[in-house]
Amino acid sequence: MSAKRILLIVGGGIAAYKALELVRLLKKRGDSVKAVLTKAGAEFVTPLSLGSLTGEKVFQDLFSLTDEAEMGHIELSRAADLVVVAPATADLMAKAANGLANDLASTLLLATDKKVLMAPAMNVRMWLHAATARNLKTLQDDGVTFVGPNDGSMACGEYGPGRMAEPAEILAAIDTVLGAVAATKPLSGLKAIVTSGPTHEPIDPVRYIANRSSGKQGHAIAAALVEAGAAVTLISGPVDISPPLGVTLVKVETAREMLAAAEAALPADIAVCAAAVADWRVAADAEQKIKKTGDAPAPLALTENPDILATLSRHPFRRPKLVIGFAAETENLIAHARAKLAKKGCDWIVANDVSPATGIMGGDSNQVSLITAGAEDNWPSLSKTEVAARLTQRIAAHFGKP
Ligand code: CTP
């Protein structure tokens, strides 16, 4: 399973120490964990130990101005694939069952649009109490999944159900819930290749030909496809931005490396070529730094790079079912994009005007037209994330899974 984003709420109970081990296991396999520590939880484990293990800030306060400025509580509740409550105390269960929202943890549980997995831990009498049984039933009816509690001797000296499930059991439950969630996603079971960013074509060991592509649009598309459940290989030229969580990242420098990586990632159902591939490379790049000689500089002899989009579109036996290219133009946008659709043999073209005045190259927004064989759809100016989400919706509709 690809890396996941877990929002972990740590409630107040002696079992909170096991939450630290759970974080360690999640991080070890590459998942990202944002932790929320309740006031009671902080009596058992410290924000420092949780933060050291997650490698991220620990959220504790609903009314913290600095926390809200960094990431609002609504966003925090949704920027995850799964919310895990471990330990889930009787108090947290009661709050969640009744929709109370008087601290950060309960507010997140009410505000989230993601699945919730609870690992209860409490005294055996508290677990067996009619009120807890009622809350458990309510939460289960609301779609919350439970792991444990296990039978065992408790810190308080009693024996019976109430011990929090072991970290490895919680990990397995996380995978089961995420697997079930993934199966319901529109692009689940489909494989996508996304190229993104510029390429660098060497002139000599210290110089190269490049372009101004930031990779923001391609990376946003890869993120949206992952979100929709696709297995995504992101082939990225040199960029300054981080890869989205959950992709298989292949870093390349040159167009030829990008093509090799794309072919190696076949077969795939979807290919989105968003990279700004250099059309030309230096025919014979120098092994040593080219020096000034005092004479007029020798012109650089260029040769054409392979076309990744055209190669995938015309692949003799492994053509992806849907191949999407971009057209970066500075004039006659639609006409040039239509010509590109035919020339490259792809199914759709996302056309954008990259004239410097538009600020699209390197910027955060994009205004595109989606060109298909029979239609032309002009989208308004949107953030690159929104363009990615819309394109992903169209892809899902194409595969009959809106
Ligand atoms: N592309 C590619 N490999 C190349 C060149 C371009 O895969 N060697 C892809 C880009 O990722 C994009 C599409 O082709 O999806 C169009 O890129 P663009 O730069 O707009 O067009 P070019 O093919 O470079 O044509 P021109 O320079 O004539 O506009």
Side-chain angles (χ1 to χ4, degrees):
M1 195 180 285
S2 57
K4 295 292 177 218
R5 300 163 303 168
I6 307 294
L7 180 69
L8 174 66
I9 297 176
V10 180
I14 187 70
Y17 77 92
K18 290 195 209 168
L20 299 178
E21 174 64 4
L22 176 63
V23 173
R24 204 186 61 77
L25 294 176
L26 288 165
K27 292 291 292 180
K28 197 169 133 200
R29 66 179 200 178
D31 289 355
S32 86
V33 185
K34 286 200 194 318
V36 174
L37 187 58
T38 66
K39 201 158 172 263
E43 300 288 336
F44 294 89
V45 293
T46 67
L48 186 61
S49 42
L50 254 183
S52 309
L53 286 166
T54 60
E56 297 196 35
K57 176 188 170 66
V58 174
F59 295 84
Q60 290 182 270
D61 207 350
L62 179 57
F63 300 111
S64 156
L65 199 57
T66 40
D67 285 8
E68 283 295 306
E70 275 175 40
M71 186 182 237
H73 60 272
I74 302 294
E75 194 188 342
L76 184 62
S77 75
R78 309 210 174 142
D81 298 304
L82 180 69
V83 181
V84 178
V85 190
T89 59
D91 180 66
L92 266 175
M93 283 178 60
K95 279 183 181 157
N98 291 285
L100 296 187
N102 64 350
D103 62 6
L104 182 60
S106 52
T107 303
L108 295 176
L109 288 169
L110 198 60
T112 190
D113 57 356
K114 298 298 174 349
K115 282 285 288 180
V116 176
L117 172 71
M118 287 192 173
M122 64 195 76
N123 166 273
V124 55
R125 292 286 140 223
M126 291 168 78
W127 177 252
L128 295 174
H129 195 283
T132 306
R134 239 181 357 253
N135 292 334
L136 173 67
K137 165 96 176 51
T138 304
L139 289 167
Q140 282 173 327
D141 290 347
D142 289 350
V144 175
T145 306
F146 284 83
V147 52
N150 296 340
D151 281 5
S153 48
M154 325 219 73
C156 49
E158 291 182 65
Y159 186 92
R163 270 176 73 91
M164 189 169 88
E166 294 306 315
E169 291 175 84
I170 301 176
L171 197 69
I174 288 173
D175 286 346
T176 306
V177 178
L178 285 174
V181 171
T184 65
K185 293 196 171 182
L187 296 181
S188 133
L190 298 185
K191 208 184 139 196
I193 299 172
V194 179
T195 70
S196 183
T199 61
H200 285 182
E201 308 295 335
I203 297 171
D204 67 16
V206 294
R207 303 182 179 97
Y208 55 82
I209 300 173
N211 61 63
R212 295 186 195 281
S213 168
S214 63
K216 284 181 188 168
Q217 186 61 82
H219 279 50
I221 290 168
L225 290 171
V226 167
E227 188 68 32
V232 179
T233 301
L234 172 63
I235 305 169
S236 174
V239 292
D240 291 332
I241 55 175
S242 310
L245 198 79
V247 301
T248 302
L249 178 70
V250 185
K251 286 186 185 177
V252 296
E253 293 243 328
T254 67
R256 283 176 295 172
E257 287 168 8
M258 193 172 268
L259 175 65
E263 290 194 294
L266 291 172
D269 303 283
I270 304 154
V272 183
C273 291
V277 184
D279 292 328
W280 308 96
R281 68 175 185 275
V282 177
D285 61 298
E287 275 184 25
Q288 303 300 333
K289 187 179 170 203
I290 302 170
K291 305 292 287 178
K292 288 193 287 289
T293 58
D295 299 333
L300 285 176
L302 299 177
T303 185
E304 201 166 332
N305 263 330
D307 192 309
I308 298 148
L309 176 60
T311 308
L312 293 179
S313 298
R314 303 221 157 85
H315 202 281
F317 52 95
R318 281 187 166 171
R319 184 192 195 276
K321 294 186 192 90
L322 180 64
V323 183
I324 305 170
F326 271 69
E329 308 293 345
T330 54
E331 55 174 356
N332 299 334
L333 181 67
I334 303 299
H336 278 152
R338 270 217 178 279
K340 239 166 230 180
L341 187 74
K343 191 172 122 201
K344 308 241 178 179
C346 57
D347 303 300
W348 302 352
I349 285 269
V350 181
N352 54 7
D353 182 344
V354 292
S355 310
T358 64
I360 285 174
M361 269 258 175
D364 289 321
S365 63
N366 205 353
Q367 181 160 15
V368 308
S369 300
L370 184 67
I371 317 276
T372 58
E376 171 195 321
D377 221 350
N378 300 313
W379 295 356
S381 176
L382 299 166
S383 72
K384 287 184 176 174
T385 312
E386 288 165 334
V387 168
R390 267 204 191 203
L391 186 64
T392 300
Q393 271 171 17
R394 289 289 296 256
I395 294 171
H398 175 82
F399 282 96
K401 297 169 155 187

